[in-house]
Amino acid sequence: MWQRLMDTWIGALVFVATAQCLNTVRVGIIPPWTSVIASALAGSQSDVNVSLHEINTGAVRSAFDKIDKTHKIISSLNLNVVIGPFDPEVSLATESLRIPYLCTTPAETSQRFQFLVQVTPEGTHASNALLDVARAYAWTKVSVFYDDVSGVQVLERMMTNHTIAVRAWRLPKKATLKDVRDALVEMRKVLVEKCVVLCNKDNVQLLLEE
């Protein structure tokens, strides 16, 4: 799965380089995906030269302020493409600048963006795959920890199978240790042993440590 995602990212960058006749693709990365993308590109066999630049707006006062700062960073760095998790302000900035935004997470928006490209599988595919896993291993009780819309899609799909009892806990995007511990305590109360985790890497780390 990871290799396929990496190949998709590389393919998208090759397409950008070819379409714009670039010798080097200047890529803007949205934190906290900097290390992930850098590692993936470092291990690739692509002939495309890539220059990585982090898009870090720092503290912002409002959504408009974030859009403005993102717009200025992308312009000043002369970026050709942006890659990272979906961010509504980033999508508006890239749309205004007419450069591709390779989105590594589900796009949580009803708006249609011409330059937004989702490079991960649609939520329905992941949901069906997880349900197949649950059926194959005859799971009867499953807990789902999630922190974005993809978790909702998986939850809805798994609940269509009435042979599986599903309990779910939604964590904040930036969960605290207390958030995670409270959810795990509730999970243990209902004796659920099989877990599906659909969270950002920081929340996953907290769950694994507990």
Side-chain angles (χ1 to χ4, degrees):
M1 179 67 171
W2 170 250
Q3 185 61 47
R4 287 186 179 181
L5 287 177
M6 188 177 73
D7 290 343
T8 301
W9 299 342
I10 300 301
L13 293 179
V14 170
F15 176 79
V16 170
T18 304
Q20 299 185 30
C21 301
L22 301 171
N23 293 322
T24 299
V25 182
R26 298 179 63 82
V27 181
I29 305 178
I30 303 171
W33 277 69
T34 306
S35 59
V36 176
I37 302 299
S39 176
L41 293 176
S44 75
Q45 302 298 317
S46 172
D47 294 330
V48 175
N49 294 318
V50 177
S51 175
L52 303 180
H53 307 270
E54 188 171 84
I55 300 175
N56 193 341
T57 58
V60 294
R61 298 186 301 274
S62 63
F64 178 80
D65 184 38
K66 186 173 182 179
I67 295 170
D68 183 55
K69 286 185 175 181
T70 302
H71 193 289
K72 288 177 179 176
I73 291 172
I74 293 173
S75 297
S76 65
L77 293 173
N78 194 27
L79 300 179
N80 306 115
V81 60
V82 172
I83 186 169
F86 177 74
D87 185 301
E89 287 76 37
V90 173
S91 64
L92 289 169
T94 53
E95 198 72 13
S96 172
L97 291 165
R98 301 178 66 82
I99 67 170
Y101 177 12
L102 307 183
C103 191
T104 58
T105 60
E108 301 177 40
T109 178
S110 58
Q111 290 181 267
R112 290 191 174 184
F113 293 104
Q114 184 179 354
F115 293 88
L116 177 66
V117 181
Q118 187 168 313
V119 293
T120 51
E122 291 185 7
T124 52
H125 298 315
S127 301
N128 290 334
L130 286 170
L131 182 56
D132 287 343
V133 169
R135 286 170 173 166
Y137 287 95
W139 292 354
T140 57
K141 291 184 177 181
V142 180
S143 63
V144 179
F145 293 94
Y146 65 101
D147 59 13
D148 65 17
V149 69
S150 63
V152 177
Q153 294 174 335
V154 170
L155 183 60
E156 290 175 346
R157 186 71 183 93
M158 295 193 76
M159 290 181 71
T160 62
N161 188 315
H162 301 298
T163 63
I164 304 174
V166 182
R167 296 294 299 271
W169 290 268
R170 180 159 192 165
L171 298 174
K173 286 283 189 180
K174 295 183 179 180
T176 64
L177 192 57
K178 183 179 184 303
D179 293 327
V180 170
R181 284 179 174 172
D182 288 348
L184 289 173
V185 167
E186 291 300 314
M187 183 196 76
R188 288 161 186 156
K189 283 181 180 178
V190 293
L191 303 177
V192 179
E193 296 180 353
K194 310 301 182 185
C195 298
V196 174
V197 179
L198 300 160
C199 297
N200 63 59
K201 67 175 186 177
D202 293 329
N203 284 350
V204 170
Q205 185 67 35
L206 281 175
L207 283 164
L208 292 176
E209 288 176 351
E210 291 300 308

